[in-house]
């Protein structure tokens, strides 16, 4: 059980991340790569990513074991709500103090017996951990290069999908914040997280107590987080709660299919523009001047075409644009990958 103690000051400083964090998604995706569960959501992604990898998994398994602790320095912290892009995250990783690397790799080495049983690359892995603990620059550079190569193979090709899911979750949480403040925001987080003021409880593999002490809390939705949220082991780092977004039942990386052929007509174009930064079905009906049933049908077709994402918000649903939908409205100009 994870218990996060939230004071009144902390509650006023709860904030939502503005987008997915490239470093968290990279590390957590490596967990999903070795996890056989969630084949409906991640099965296609696993098969495609494994085909593109070229030995990166052996080295990464050294610092990211299948279970248990992985070093906090692999997912650099930040004070604000603007998550790291890949380049900024790698630079922050490169700037990690040597004594911190030594301490955190020492904690990781305590899991070495389990890691040797789980990884065929244990001998070279043990050497890498020892070299990192000694503060040498070459092994850190090698790790950064490997992480970058892994990200290009397993995360970057899917970034528009990842970003769409995170932004849809953010839209739902933002609506809760506007409707009922931070209390409703925390109460509406995924079911493995429970707000029992003044404590935010969550399912967790070990017992942890985290006191925010007036620092507030950054909520970071994650595409590749699964089952339980994640926090830093070091309580002195800026508090962040990484939690899983809600995935639909269908494969998330499926191609749009023939539904794009149905996106012809003035009304549906108006519906797509009206969704904008997010709206419920009732709001969509009012904005477009159509019936509730018609608005729901149009949103369904847009969703099946990959242009809209829909998440439940209380008793209603909230529609948001995917990167593809936003690009279509801009005449095909793509969203930046960041």
């Amino acid at each position: 059980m994870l218990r996060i103690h939230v004071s009144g000051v902390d509650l006023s400083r709860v904030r939502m991340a503005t987008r997915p964090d490239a470093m968290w998604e990279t590390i957590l995706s490596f967990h999903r790569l070795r996890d056989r569960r969630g084949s409906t959501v991640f099965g296609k992604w696993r098969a495609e990513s494994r085909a593109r990898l070229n030995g990166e998994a052996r080295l990464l398994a050294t610092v990211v074991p299948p279970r248990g602790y992985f070093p906090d320095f692999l997912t650099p912290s930040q004070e604000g709500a603007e998550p790291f892009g890949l380049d900024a995250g790698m630079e922050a990783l490169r700037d990690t103090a040597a004594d911190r690397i030594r301490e955190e790799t020492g904690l990781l080495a305590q899991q070495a017996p389990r890691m040797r049983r789980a990884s065929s690359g244990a001998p070279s892995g043990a050497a890498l951990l020892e070299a990192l603990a000694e503060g040498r620059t070459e092994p850190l550079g090698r790790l950064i290069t490997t992480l970058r190569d892994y990200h290009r193979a397993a995360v970057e090709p899917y970034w528009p999908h990842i970003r769409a899911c995170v932004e849809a979750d953010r839209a739902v949480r933002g609506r809760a914040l506007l409707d009922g403040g931070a209390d409703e925001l925390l109460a509406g987080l995924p079911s493995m997280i429970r707000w029992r003021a003044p404590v935010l409880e969550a399912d967790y593999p070990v017992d942890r107590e985290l006191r925010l002490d007036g620092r507030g809390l950054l909520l970071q939705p994650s595409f590749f987080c699964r089952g339980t949220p994640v926090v830093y082991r070091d309580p002195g780092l800026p508090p962040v709660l990484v939690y899983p977004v809600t995935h639909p039942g269908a494969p998330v990386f499926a191609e749009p299919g023939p539904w794009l052929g149905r996106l012809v007509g003035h009304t549906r174009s108006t519906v797509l523009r009206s969704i904008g930064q997010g709206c419920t079905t009732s709001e969509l009906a009012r904005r477009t001047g159509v019936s509730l049933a018609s608005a729901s049908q149009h949103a369904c077709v847009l969703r099946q075409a990959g242009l809209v994402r829909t998440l439940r918000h209380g008793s209603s649903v909230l529609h948001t644009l995917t990167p593809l939908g936003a690009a279509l409205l801009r005449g095909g100009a793509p969203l930046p990958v960041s």
Side-chain angles (χ1 to χ4, degrees):
M1 175 76 74
L2 170 68
R3 292 169 54 86
I4 302 176
H5 298 267
V6 184
S7 69
V9 173
D10 293 314
L11 196 61
S12 69
R13 294 178 179 174
V14 172
R15 57 204 186 279
M16 285 292 306
T18 58
R19 59 183 182 181
D21 185 293
M23 301 302 288
W24 277 110
E25 297 299 343
T26 299
I27 298 301
L28 292 175
S29 74
F30 189 55
H31 282 289
R32 301 290 77 76
L33 189 74
R34 297 168 292 174
D35 187 354
R36 297 180 180 179
R37 298 171 296 173
S39 59
T40 300
V41 176
F42 298 111
K44 184 173 184 286
W45 165 80
R46 285 193 190 106
E48 294 178 350
S49 297
R50 285 169 178 161
R52 284 191 291 264
L53 292 174
N54 188 27
E56 293 87 355
R58 288 190 65 190
L59 183 63
L60 290 184
T62 301
V63 291
V64 187
R67 292 171 297 280
Y69 171 76
F70 63 85
D72 290 336
F73 69 77
L74 293 175
T75 51
S77 59
Q78 66 278 340
E79 294 290 346
E82 187 67 21
F84 277 122
L86 183 64
D87 290 338
M90 292 298 177
E91 285 305 308
L93 175 55
R94 193 183 302 276
D95 292 340
T96 306
D99 57 348
R100 180 180 171 190
I101 293 177
R102 184 179 305 111
E103 178 183 353
E104 294 186 8
T105 52
L107 292 171
L108 187 60
Q110 296 174 10
Q111 298 181 146
R114 276 185 294 167
M115 192 165 60
R116 289 193 185 98
R117 289 193 297 270
S119 172
S120 59
S124 61
L128 175 65
L129 286 183
E130 183 177 346
L132 285 171
E134 291 173 356
R136 288 152 46 188
T137 57
E138 185 278 330
L140 182 58
R142 182 185 173 200
L143 175 60
I144 290 171
T145 298
T146 302
L147 278 169
R148 190 180 292 274
D149 290 343
Y150 171 81
H151 178 93
R152 289 196 184 107
V155 179
E156 186 176 284
Y158 309 98
W159 194 254
H161 299 275
I162 294 167
R163 184 168 177 174
C165 289
V166 169
E167 289 181 349
D169 182 272
R170 174 179 163 82
V172 170
R173 309 304 167 203
R175 184 63 65 100
L177 182 64
L178 289 173
D179 289 348
D183 270 299
E184 185 163 331
L185 169 62
L186 295 180
L189 289 173
S191 60
M192 79 287 295
I193 305 171
R194 298 165 294 277
W195 174 232
R196 294 169 178 164
V199 177
L200 189 63
E201 296 182 349
D203 299 337
Y204 211 65
V206 296
D207 287 333
R208 285 286 308 277
E209 301 279 339
L210 176 59
R211 300 186 182 277
L212 301 181
D213 296 327
R215 295 173 294 170
L217 181 67
L218 174 63
L219 299 174
Q220 177 67 65
S222 167
F223 182 87
F224 285 109
C225 185
R226 186 183 187 278
T228 62
V230 186
V231 296
Y232 288 125
R233 185 184 189 280
D234 183 354
L237 292 173
V240 57
L241 180 69
V242 183
Y243 66 89
V245 300
T246 301
H247 292 292
V252 294
F253 299 128
E255 296 299 323
W259 293 97
L260 283 175
R262 298 174 59 182
L263 296 175
V264 179
H266 173 74
T267 301
R268 199 155 289 148
S269 298
T270 301
V271 168
L272 191 62
R273 286 194 298 270
S274 298
I275 288 174
Q277 297 300 312
C279 65
T280 66
T281 305
S282 297
E283 290 167 343
L284 182 59
R286 289 197 299 271
R287 292 177 186 179
T288 56
V290 301
S291 68
L292 188 64
S294 181
S296 179
Q297 181 183 19
H298 286 307
C300 178
V301 173
L302 292 169
R303 181 171 62 253
Q304 291 167 327
L307 303 178
V308 166
R309 180 169 171 80
T310 301
L311 290 179
R312 180 155 296 281
H313 174 62
S315 60
S316 60
V317 295
L318 186 67
H319 310 291
T320 59
L321 296 180
T322 67
L324 179 61
L328 183 63
L329 288 180
R330 292 193 306 273
L335 283 174
V337 177
S338 57

